[in-house]
Amino acid sequence: MIPIHDTIRSERWPVVNYALIALCAWVYWLELSAGADVDVFVNEHALVPARFVKSFARGGFELGLFAPFVTSMFLHAGFAHFAGNMLFLWIFGDNVEDRMGHAGYALFYLAGGLAASATHVLANPGSVVPTVGASGAIAAVMGAYMLLYPGSRVATVVFVFFFVRIVEVPAYAWLGLWFLFQVLASGMASGANDQGGVAVFAHIGGFAFGAAVVLLLGLRAPRHVSV
């Protein structure tokens, strides 16, 4: 299933969401421009759990040590990775920004990405695989969206053998199933991150963070939205 849009229109122009997409696109262009040195570029700015844990144990709390928690959010491991993440951010981010406001959404997105990365490190402290991608922060956006707009519907392309259909799926069902798949995948992920793959624990941590923020702050959908 591939989501293509939701059914809720935001009142505010989502300037922060568009800026985040543009920033990710710019960083992806930098990766492409690195040419043969792309692996060096990515490894320098990616989050490597084992490297972080070792450096933290040796040097304690140093602000620069946490830089990869931020820089890794804007890197991607190929066009499909980049395009998929940006599609999800474009669909769900504008409505969350509509509710939280521009500054609040920017802080929320950054905090969600940090929470997701921290969860990944805690779950895989010995992994030497560079971790990149905006999906942890976007998972936080999705967790917030599910609680803010449960009655929204997500237009989705569904492939059934040779047939293609577009159906509208309730947001709570679409996002709830997505989260369930991450939880199920986490049961098979032991050691998987040492061979690369999807950082499912980052997805779980980000989604849980986003939902927790909505619950703890008692946020509701904007008045112009009926959910």
Side-chain angles (χ1 to χ4, degrees), residues 1-4 87-88 154-159 165 167 169 173-175 177-178 181:
M1 299 195 306
I2 302 175
I4 51 177
L87 174 63
F88 275 64
V154 181
T156 305
V157 178
V158 179
F159 298 90
R165 294 191 61 188
V167 299
V169 182
W174 206 105
L175 294 169
L177 283 173
W178 180 88
F181 290 151

Side-chain angles (χ1 to χ4, degrees), residues 190-213:
S190 179
N193 286 294
D194 289 329
Q195 289 82 41
V198 179
V200 291
F201 288 103
H203 297 171
I204 293 170
F207 193 95
F209 174 85
V213 167

Side-chain angles (χ1 to χ4, degrees), residues 40-133:
V40 176
F41 176 82
V42 170
N43 189 64
E44 181 180 352
H45 299 288
L47 173 63
V48 181
R51 184 171 65 189
F52 170 79
V53 170
K54 183 178 180 180
S55 298
F56 185 82
R58 184 174 60 243
F61 186 92
E62 295 179 9
L63 192 59
L65 188 61
F66 291 86
F69 281 76
V70 177
T71 56
S72 63
M73 281 190 237
F74 300 97
L75 295 166
H76 288 89
F79 180 75
H81 189 207
F82 164 75
N85 276 347
M86 294 307 99
L87 174 63
F88 275 64
L89 183 56
W90 177 72
I91 292 172
F92 300 111
D94 61 329
N95 298 114
V96 177
E97 181 176 351
D98 197 29
R99 177 59 188 88
M100 294 185 174
H102 304 311
Y105 178 67
L107 291 173
F108 167 79
Y109 184 90
L110 179 61
L114 294 175
S117 293
T119 305
H120 177 66
V121 171
L122 289 172
N124 304 278
S127 175
V128 296
V129 178
T131 305
V132 298

Side-chain angles (χ1 to χ4, degrees), residues 135-150:
S135 55
I138 296 170
V141 172
M142 293 163 66
Y145 186 103
M146 187 180 74
L147 295 187
L148 287 171
Y149 308 99

